[in-house]
Amino acid sequence: MDSSQIKYVVIGGGIAGVTCVETLSLFGGDASITLISASPLIKTVTNYSQITRVAETFDVEEKPLAYAEEQSKNVHVIQDSVTSLSIIDKKVYTSNGQCLLYDKLCICTGGKPRVIAKNNPLVVGIRDTESVKEFQNKVKTARRILIVGNGGIATELVYELEGCEVIWAIKDKSIAHTFVDAGAGEFFLEHLNKAKDNTQTGPSKRLKYTSAASTSPIPCGLSGGALGPDWTSNLNFHGEIDEISHRIHVEREVEVSDIMTPDEFKQSELKESLCWPDVQWPVFVSLTNGIVYGCDLVVSATGVIPNASFTNDSHINSHFEQAEDGGIKVNSCMKTNVDSVFAAGDVCTASWEHSQHWLQMRLWSQARQMGCYAAKCMIADVKKEEISLDFCFELFAHMTTFFKFKVVLLGRFNAQGLENDYEVLLRVTKGEEYVKALLQDGRLVGAVLVGETDLEETFENLILNGLDLTPFKENLLEPGVDVEDFFD
Ligand SMILES: Cc1cc2nc3c(=O)[nH]c(=O)nc-3n(C[C@H](O)[C@H](O)[C@H](O)COP(=O)(O)OP(=O)(O)OC[C@H]3O[C@@H](n4cnc5c(N)ncnc54)[C@H](O)[C@@H]3O)c2cc1C
Ligand SMILES: NC(=O)C1=CN([C@@H]2O[C@H](COP(=O)(O)OP(=O)(O)OC[C@H]3O[C@@H](n4cnc5c(N)ncnc54)[C@H](OP(=O)(O)O)[C@@H]3O)[C@@H](O)[C@H]2O)C=CC1
């Protein structure tokens, strides 16, 4: 078929959707491409840099939706929310009554924060620019904040919050558990109560929000694109009390058992811990260890729910096979079970047999990679060509910053899916670096690199080439030894 007759439609203006549109525009010939997004701002990837074969960094800029039209040929944008689909006659319906025909459709509708006690105004979740603004406003008058969750947002937030007391309630024994093991958690622990270092010495995670002014609101019930790296930079998270710079108390191995109003708390006859004289807290949180804290605000940093119910029509939503985590299942060609419909980014669950060293995490790098690969799959599908799984799905690689330390995670970095038949090599220099290598049958299968270790490229190669490291094991992490010399 002549490419000019092809109609691609992409839903969602986050990193996955925008990358998908850009790739379609680049490789899709003269096809017509429509981007429909509920949010007036899109996320664009700039200054892309390939650090190793798989690890990458890039800036993320927020731009008006029209930018996508200006940058890529054959692209038409619509700010609207998709309300329904007709999967038989391949039509997309929007809330403003538009109806679009598609040949290939890609769903990139992201995720929503999983918030405990969703309807309580004193319990907030963080996802997009709007929710951060709302949070910032509430923080200004906060004296004590309780943060629930032990993943990316909580770990970044406890470092950023100043001017108030922070109670960090985690399910695990160690901090930052979603990303690092207990050892690295210990390594970070000593930086927890240190005053925040505001100098920009560590690597920036390179998000540039050029918060383009926008007058068009996001339709009720929908969120804008997820924030990304450095979402805390240039934002002030300062509570009411100047004398408190950084005071964090970690409650380990607990969950929230109840969130109470002052009246409910009074009636419960429970005792409050760490109470402040003459302070009336607006909300009380009881934990599963029996401890109760009064606070001004609760942050629920408890993960993401894929936005798989992206239409108002539950009958249509139910056509899409969902994985256990609620994501729309996609195969190794990013195809859903519905004819001609693909999905990418936080909304989807990679349901192919993963390579030994890859796992899905809902991260911006994976959103970009999936968006790009989904576009290639859509084009290949039109041309009825075979496509092989992109190389980026061979190895998990994530670069980020926690407590001002560069963090690189490779492969099965947290021993995910490994039985007990692996060994761990460790090198720790207090306050400087934490290097953990996981070996299975003498072969490197995962690594956690904290600090300026300069080991990411070598370790990535070692994981990918599966070299038996048994003869070098003793020296692999010896300080001063250039690991690369072994393999020349
Ligand atoms: C606070 C925070 C910090 C983060 N920090 C990092 C980090 O440091 N590193 C990292 O790798 N990842 C980070 N992430 C995760 C990362 O931002 C996401 O994984 C990634 O941005 C997901 O991109 P996406 O395009 O799949 O979805 P989203 O960015 O959520 O985009 C979804 C889009 O779909 C639109 N949409 C939804 N429903 C409809 C509909 N019915 N009709 C039309 N449009 C619709 C939305 O408006 C939005 O434009 C962070 C996330 C958060 C919340
Ligand atoms: N630097 C980075 O790379 C960052 C990445 N992100 C990404 O943004 C997204 C949102 O971040 P975030 O919300 O922190 O999600 P994460 O998935 O990173 O972490 C969620 C945390 O909440 C815990 N949790 C889940 N349910 C409950 C509950 N009911 N009670 C107590 N704890 C609970 C989880 O524990 P368990 O796993 O045991 O269920 C986990 O520790 C994620 O995809 C994350 O990867 C966000 C910020 C920074």
Side-chain angles (χ1 to χ4, degrees):
M1 198 196 288
D2 175 4
S3 70
S4 65
Q5 293 169 343
I6 305 293
K7 292 182 176 60
Y8 295 114
V9 175
V10 177
I11 312 172
I15 293 175
V18 172
T19 309
C20 181
V21 163
E22 285 170 354
T23 313
L24 286 169
S25 167
L26 212 56
F27 300 114
D30 293 330
S32 124
I33 305 154
T34 306
L35 171 64
I36 310 174
S37 184
S39 46
L41 300 176
I42 55 163
K43 297 280 193 293
T44 61
V45 170
T46 57
N47 298 331
Y48 176 82
S49 161
Q50 189 91 42
I51 304 300
T52 62
R53 273 170 86 188
V54 182
E56 56 186 30
T57 62
F58 47 84
D59 293 345
V60 177
E61 291 192 29
E62 242 178 8
K63 296 271 174 65
L65 190 56
Y67 180 83
E69 220 165 54
E70 291 153 16
Q71 291 305 303
S72 312
K73 68 178 173 74
N74 307 336
V75 175
H76 172 57
V77 297
I78 297 175
Q79 195 209 324
D80 204 347
S81 61
V82 168
T83 48
S84 190
L85 295 184
S86 171
I87 55 180
I88 309 285
D89 16 305
K90 297 189 177 172
K91 285 179 185 161
V92 177
Y93 299 94
T94 71
S95 66
N96 287 339
Q98 298 205 46
C99 169
L100 285 102
L101 279 167
Y102 65 84
D103 292 297
K104 304 289 163 200
L105 174 72
C106 192
I107 304 164
C108 303
T109 48
K112 294 178 181 158
R114 184 194 296 130
V115 179
I116 54 165
K118 217 172 157 193
N119 296 323
N120 187 329
L122 294 176
V123 180
V124 297
I126 293 170
R127 178 71 185 172
D128 53 8
T129 315
E130 282 307 304
S131 57
V132 169
K133 275 191 203 149
E134 188 193 328
F135 173 64
Q136 254 188 309
N137 269 336
K138 289 183 171 162
V139 167
K140 278 184 206 152
T141 53
R143 298 149 298 181
R144 183 188 286 165
I145 295 179
L146 187 137
I147 301 180
V148 189
N150 201 8
I153 293 182
T155 306
E156 296 195 337
L157 209 50
V158 292
Y159 185 69
E160 295 297 333
L161 276 168
E162 293 174 298
C164 62
E165 204 172 64
V166 176
I167 313 289
W168 189 7
I170 61 175
K171 283 205 297 196
D172 319 283
K173 284 187 182 153
S174 59
I175 62 166
H177 186 71
T178 310
F179 286 88
V180 294
D181 62 305
E186 275 307 304
F187 176 90
F188 288 135
L189 205 56
E190 65 166 304
H191 300 272
L192 199 59
N193 273 308
K194 271 190 188 163
K196 195 181 129 203
D197 175 6
N198 286 315
T199 55
Q200 183 59 64
T201 48
S204 158
K205 283 191 292 149
R206 310 174 63 181
L207 177 91
K208 307 269 188 297
Y209 283 124
T210 43
S211 260
S214 161
T215 47
S216 336
I218 301 170
C220 180
L222 289 172
S223 62
L227 295 163
D230 282 358
W231 62 284
T232 52
S233 68
N234 305 323
L235 293 173
N236 181 4
F237 292 119
H238 202 289
E240 201 182 57
I241 307 168
D242 283 337
E243 301 83 68
I244 300 181
S245 71
H246 223 61
R247 194 190 294 164
I248 297 151
H249 175 77
V250 186
E251 280 292 346
R252 297 161 198 253
E253 297 183 82
V254 292
E255 286 186 51
V256 169
S257 52
D258 202 5
I259 298 181
M260 295 167 279
T261 62
D263 279 348
E264 286 165 343
F265 172 64
K266 225 183 254 168
Q267 281 161 19
S268 73
E269 293 181 3
L270 289 163
K271 284 263 169 307
E272 184 195 346
S273 185
L274 283 182
C275 53
W276 288 7
D278 307 324
V279 168
Q280 299 293 315
W281 299 111
V283 61
F284 289 84
V285 181
S286 70
L287 303 174
T288 43
N289 59 0
I291 293 181
V292 180
Y293 287 106
C295 53
D296 293 302
L297 193 60
V298 179
V299 178
S300 176
T302 39
V304 178
I305 302 170
N307 197 9
S309 300
F310 63 101
T311 78
N312 296 339
D313 187 341
S314 54
H315 181 65
I316 287 295
N317 297 338
S318 68
H319 271 83
F320 290 90
E321 254 179 54
Q322 289 185 12
E324 255 174 47
D325 64 3
I328 297 178
K329 279 186 175 185
V330 290
N331 68 11
S332 60
C333 297
M334 305 306 290
K335 266 185 176 175
T336 69
N337 60 309
V338 173
D339 178 41
S340 298
V341 184
F342 298 69
D346 279 9
V347 71
C348 78
T349 300
S351 299
W352 63 84
E353 196 178 327
H354 299 171
S355 99
Q356 188 195 351
H357 304 301
W358 189 82
L359 53 114
Q360 182 178 10
M361 275 182 87
R362 292 189 162 86
L363 297 166
W364 70 328
S365 48
Q366 293 198 355
R368 194 201 70 78
Q369 291 163 343
M370 286 180 171
C372 177
Y373 177 58
K376 292 178 182 168
C377 291
M378 290 159 83
I379 296 168
D381 206 43
V382 166
K383 294 184 177 166
K384 300 197 174 8
E385 286 174 0
E386 294 267 308
I387 187 162
S388 46
L389 192 64
D390 196 284
F391 186 75
C392 64
F393 301 109
E394 279 300 309
L395 173 74
F396 174 88
H398 182 48
M399 295 184 70
T400 187
T401 306
F402 288 133
F403 301 97
K404 283 240 157 178
F405 286 94
K406 173 177 165 184
V407 176
V408 181
L409 308 172
L410 295 172
R412 308 254 157 196
F413 61 93
N414 241 347
Q416 295 95 333
L418 301 181
E419 302 292 328
N420 284 333
D421 60 342
Y422 64 89
E423 54 183 318
V424 172
L425 304 180
L426 263 187
R427 178 174 94 200
V428 187
T429 315
K430 212 173 164 215
E432 247 179 67
E433 60 164 23
Y434 177 92
V435 178
K436 182 174 104 166
L438 287 126
L439 267 62
Q440 197 176 38
D441 295 329
R443 287 161 175 83
L444 192 63
V445 289
V448 176
L449 309 173
V450 179
E452 295 301 327
T453 66
D454 214 16
L455 287 169
E456 50 269 24
E457 193 159 10
T458 310
F459 274 32
E460 180 183 293
N461 288 334
L462 289 177
I463 296 177
L464 285 170
N465 65 26
L467 199 71
D468 185 358
L469 298 171
T470 313
F472 319 103
K473 219 166 56 181
E474 301 304 314
N475 308 91
L476 194 65
L477 296 188
E478 221 170 82
V481 171
D482 190 346
V483 183
E484 273 172 273
D485 289 347
F486 288 125
F487 311 106
D488 283 344

